Coordinates of all heavy atoms in Angstrom, one line a residue:
E93 N -10.0 -135.3 61.8 CA -10.1 -134.0 62.3 C -9.7 -133.9 63.8 O -9.0 -133.0 64.3 CB -11.5 -133.4 62.1 CG -11.6 -132.0 62.6 CD -13.0 -131.5 62.5 OE1 -14.0 -132.1 62.0 OE2 -13.2 -130.3 62.9
M94 N -10.1 -134.9 64.6 CA -9.7 -134.9 66.0 C -8.2 -135.0 66.2 O -7.6 -134.3 67.0 CB -10.4 -136.0 66.8 CG -10.3 -136.0 68.3 SD -8.8 -136.8 68.9 CE -8.9 -138.4 68.3
N95 N -7.6 -135.9 65.3 CA -6.1 -136.0 65.4 C -5.4 -134.7 65.0 O -4.4 -134.3 65.7 CB -5.6 -137.1 64.5 CG -5.7 -138.5 65.1 OD1 -5.7 -138.6 66.4 ND2 -5.9 -139.5 64.3
E96 N -5.9 -134.0 64.1 CA -5.3 -132.7 63.8 C -5.4 -131.7 65.0 O -4.5 -131.0 65.3 CB -6.0 -132.0 62.5 CG -5.7 -132.7 61.2 CD -6.5 -132.2 60.1 OE1 -7.1 -131.0 60.2 OE2 -6.6 -132.9 59.1
I97 N -6.6 -131.6 65.5 CA -6.8 -130.8 66.7 C -5.9 -131.2 67.9 O -5.3 -130.4 68.6 CB -8.3 -130.8 67.2 CG1 -9.2 -130.2 66.0 CG2 -8.5 -130.0 68.4 CD1 -10.7 -130.6 66.2
Y98 N -5.9 -132.5 68.2 CA -5.1 -133.1 69.2 C -3.6 -132.8 69.0 O -2.9 -132.2 69.9 CB -5.3 -134.6 69.1 CG -4.6 -135.5 70.1 CD1 -5.3 -135.9 71.3 CD2 -3.3 -135.9 70.0 CE1 -4.7 -136.7 72.3 CE2 -2.7 -136.7 71.0 CZ -3.4 -137.1 72.1 OH -2.8 -137.9 73.0
N99 N -3.1 -133.0 67.8 CA -1.7 -132.7 67.5 C -1.3 -131.2 67.7 O -0.3 -130.9 68.3 CB -1.3 -133.2 66.1 CG -1.2 -134.7 66.0 OD1 -1.0 -135.4 67.0 ND2 -1.3 -135.2 64.9
A100 N -2.2 -130.3 67.2 CA -2.0 -128.8 67.3 C -2.0 -128.5 68.8 O -1.1 -127.8 69.3 CB -3.0 -128.1 66.5
Y101 N -3.0 -129.0 69.5 CA -3.1 -128.6 70.9 C -1.9 -129.1 71.7 O -1.3 -128.3 72.4 CB -4.4 -129.2 71.6 CG -4.5 -129.0 73.0 CD1 -5.1 -127.8 73.5 CD2 -4.1 -129.9 74.0 CE1 -5.2 -127.5 74.8 CE2 -4.2 -129.6 75.4 CZ -4.8 -128.4 75.8 OH -4.8 -128.1 77.1
F102 N -1.5 -130.3 71.6 CA -0.3 -130.9 72.4 C 0.9 -130.3 71.9 O 1.9 -130.2 72.6 CB -0.4 -132.4 72.5 CG -1.4 -132.8 73.5 CD1 -2.6 -133.4 73.0 CD2 -1.3 -132.5 74.9 CE1 -3.6 -133.7 73.9 CE2 -2.3 -132.9 75.8 CZ -3.4 -133.5 75.3
G103 N 1.0 -129.9 70.6 CA 2.2 -129.2 70.1 C 2.4 -127.9 70.8 O 3.6 -127.4 70.8
E104 N 1.4 -127.2 71.3 CA 1.5 -126.0 72.0 C 1.8 -126.1 73.5 O 1.9 -125.0 74.2 CB 0.2 -125.1 71.8 CG -0.1 -124.8 70.3 CD -1.4 -124.2 70.1 OE1 -2.2 -124.1 71.0 OE2 -1.7 -123.8 69.0
Q105 N 1.7 -127.3 74.0 CA 1.8 -127.6 75.5 C 3.2 -127.6 76.0 O 3.4 -127.8 77.2 CB 1.0 -128.7 75.9 CG -0.4 -128.6 75.5 CD -1.2 -127.3 76.1 OE1 -1.1 -127.1 77.3 NE2 -1.7 -126.6 75.2
N106 N 4.3 -127.6 75.2 CA 5.6 -127.7 75.6 C 5.9 -128.9 76.6 O 6.5 -128.8 77.6 CB 6.1 -126.4 76.3 CG 6.0 -125.2 75.4 OD1 6.4 -125.3 74.3 ND2 5.5 -124.1 76.0
L107 N 5.4 -130.0 76.1 CA 5.6 -131.3 76.9 C 6.9 -131.9 76.6 O 7.5 -131.8 75.6 CB 4.5 -132.3 76.4 CG 3.1 -131.9 76.6 CD1 2.1 -133.0 76.2 CD2 2.7 -131.5 78.1
K108 N 7.4 -132.6 77.7 CA 8.7 -133.2 77.6 C 8.7 -134.4 76.6 O 9.6 -134.8 75.9 CB 9.1 -133.7 78.9 CG 9.4 -132.6 80.0 CD 9.6 -133.2 81.3 CE 9.5 -132.1 82.3 NZ 9.4 -132.6 83.7
E109 N 7.5 -135.1 76.6 CA 7.3 -136.3 75.8 C 5.9 -136.2 75.1 O 5.1 -135.3 75.4 CB 7.3 -137.6 76.7 CG 8.6 -137.9 77.4 CD 9.7 -138.3 76.6 OE1 9.4 -138.9 75.5 OE2 10.8 -138.1 77.0
A110 N 5.6 -137.1 74.2 CA 4.3 -137.2 73.7 C 3.2 -137.3 74.9 O 3.6 -137.7 75.9 CB 4.1 -138.5 72.8
P111 N 2.0 -136.7 74.7 CA 1.2 -136.6 75.8 C 0.9 -137.8 76.6 O 0.8 -137.8 77.8 CB -0.1 -136.0 75.2 CG 0.0 -136.2 73.8 CD 1.5 -136.3 73.5
S112 N 0.7 -139.0 75.9 CA 0.4 -140.2 76.6 C 0.1 -141.4 75.6 O 0.1 -141.1 74.4 CB -0.9 -140.0 77.5 OG -2.0 -139.8 76.6
A113 N -0.2 -142.5 76.1 CA -0.7 -143.5 75.3 C -2.2 -143.1 75.1 O -2.7 -142.4 75.9 CB -0.6 -144.9 76.0
R114 N -2.8 -143.6 74.0 CA -4.2 -143.1 73.7 C -4.9 -144.2 73.0 O -4.4 -144.9 72.2 CB -4.1 -141.8 72.9 CG -5.5 -141.2 72.7 CD -5.5 -140.2 71.7 NE -6.0 -140.7 70.5 CZ -5.9 -140.0 69.3 NH1 -5.3 -138.8 69.3 NH2 -6.3 -140.5 68.2
T115 N -6.2 -144.3 73.4 CA -7.1 -145.2 72.6 C -8.3 -144.3 72.2 O -8.7 -143.5 72.9 CB -7.7 -146.3 73.7 OG1 -6.6 -147.1 74.1 CG2 -8.7 -147.2 73.0
T116 N -8.8 -144.7 71.0 CA -10.0 -143.9 70.5 C -11.0 -144.9 70.2 O -10.8 -146.0 69.5 CB -9.6 -143.1 69.2 OG1 -8.6 -142.2 69.5 CG2 -10.8 -142.3 68.8
V117 N -12.2 -144.7 70.7 CA -13.4 -145.6 70.5 C -14.6 -144.8 70.0 O -14.5 -143.6 70.2 CB -13.7 -146.4 71.7 CG1 -12.6 -147.4 72.1 CG2 -14.1 -145.6 72.9
Y118 N -15.6 -145.4 69.5 CA -16.7 -144.8 69.0 C -17.9 -145.2 69.8 O -18.2 -146.3 70.0 CB -16.9 -145.1 67.4 CG -15.6 -144.7 66.7 CD1 -14.7 -145.6 66.5 CD2 -15.5 -143.4 66.4 CE1 -13.5 -145.2 65.9 CE2 -14.3 -143.0 65.8 CZ -13.3 -143.9 65.5 OH -12.1 -143.5 64.9
V119 N -18.7 -144.2 70.3 CA -19.8 -144.4 71.3 C -20.9 -143.5 70.9 O -20.8 -142.5 70.1 CB -19.3 -144.2 72.6 CG1 -18.2 -145.1 73.0 CG2 -18.9 -142.7 72.8
G120 N -22.0 -143.7 71.6 CA -23.1 -142.7 71.6 C -23.0 -141.9 72.9 O -22.6 -142.3 73.9
L121 N -23.2 -140.6 72.7 CA -23.2 -139.6 73.8 C -24.5 -138.8 73.8 O -25.2 -138.9 72.8 CB -22.0 -138.6 73.6 CG -20.6 -139.2 73.7 CD1 -19.5 -138.2 73.3 CD2 -20.3 -139.6 75.1
P122 N -24.8 -138.1 74.8 CA -26.0 -137.3 74.9 C -26.0 -136.4 73.7 O -25.0 -135.9 73.1 CB -25.9 -136.6 76.2 CG -25.0 -137.5 77.0 CD -24.0 -138.0 76.1
K123 N -27.2 -136.1 73.3 CA -27.5 -135.3 72.1 C -26.6 -134.0 72.0 O -26.6 -133.3 73.1 CB -29.0 -134.9 71.9 CG -29.4 -134.2 70.7 CD -30.8 -133.9 70.7 CE -31.1 -133.1 69.4 NZ -32.5 -132.9 69.1
G124 N -26.0 -133.7 70.9 CA -25.2 -132.5 70.8 C -23.7 -132.7 71.1 O -22.9 -131.9 70.7
L125 N -23.4 -133.7 71.9 CA -22.0 -134.0 72.3 C -21.3 -134.9 71.3 O -21.9 -135.9 70.9 CB -22.0 -134.5 73.7 CG -22.5 -133.6 74.8 CD1 -22.5 -134.3 76.1 CD2 -21.7 -132.3 74.8
L126 N -20.0 -134.4 70.9 CA -19.3 -135.2 69.9 C -18.1 -135.9 70.4 O -17.6 -136.8 69.7 CB -18.9 -134.2 68.8 CG -20.0 -133.3 68.2 CD1 -19.4 -132.2 67.2 CD2 -20.9 -134.2 67.4
I127 N -17.6 -135.5 71.6 CA -16.4 -136.1 72.1 C -16.4 -136.1 73.6 O -17.0 -135.3 74.2 CB -15.2 -135.3 71.6 CG1 -13.9 -136.0 72.0 CG2 -15.2 -133.9 72.0 CD1 -12.6 -135.3 71.3
E128 N -15.7 -137.2 74.1 CA -15.5 -137.3 75.6 C -14.1 -137.8 75.7 O -13.6 -138.6 74.9 CB -16.5 -138.3 76.2 CG -16.4 -138.5 77.7 CD -17.5 -139.4 78.2 OE1 -18.5 -139.7 77.6 OE2 -17.4 -139.7 79.4
I129 N -13.4 -137.4 76.8 CA -12.0 -137.8 77.1 C -11.9 -138.1 78.6 O -12.4 -137.3 79.4 CB -11.0 -136.8 76.7 CG1 -11.1 -136.5 75.1 CG2 -9.6 -137.1 77.1 CD1 -10.2 -135.3 74.7
D130 N -11.3 -139.3 78.9 CA -10.9 -139.5 80.2 C -9.4 -139.7 80.2 O -8.8 -139.9 79.2 CB -11.7 -140.8 80.9 CG -11.4 -142.1 80.3 OD1 -10.2 -142.3 79.8 OD2 -12.1 -143.0 80.4
A131 N -8.8 -139.7 81.4 CA -7.3 -139.8 81.6 C -6.9 -140.4 82.9 O -7.6 -140.3 83.8 CB -6.8 -138.3 81.4

Side-chain angles (χ1 to χ4, degrees):
E93 180 183 0
M94 188 276 302
N95 277 335
E96 289 175 18
I97 298 163
Y98 183 97
N99 288 338
Y101 177 85
F102 285 108
E104 297 171 357
Q105 300 304 306
N106 298 318
L107 301 178
K108 297 173 193 165
E109 301 286 335
S112 67
R114 189 187 95 194
T115 300
T116 303
V117 296
Y118 303 96
V119 298
L121 292 172
K123 186 177 179 174
L125 295 175
L126 304 173
I127 186 168
E128 181 174 348
I129 297 174
D130 69 24

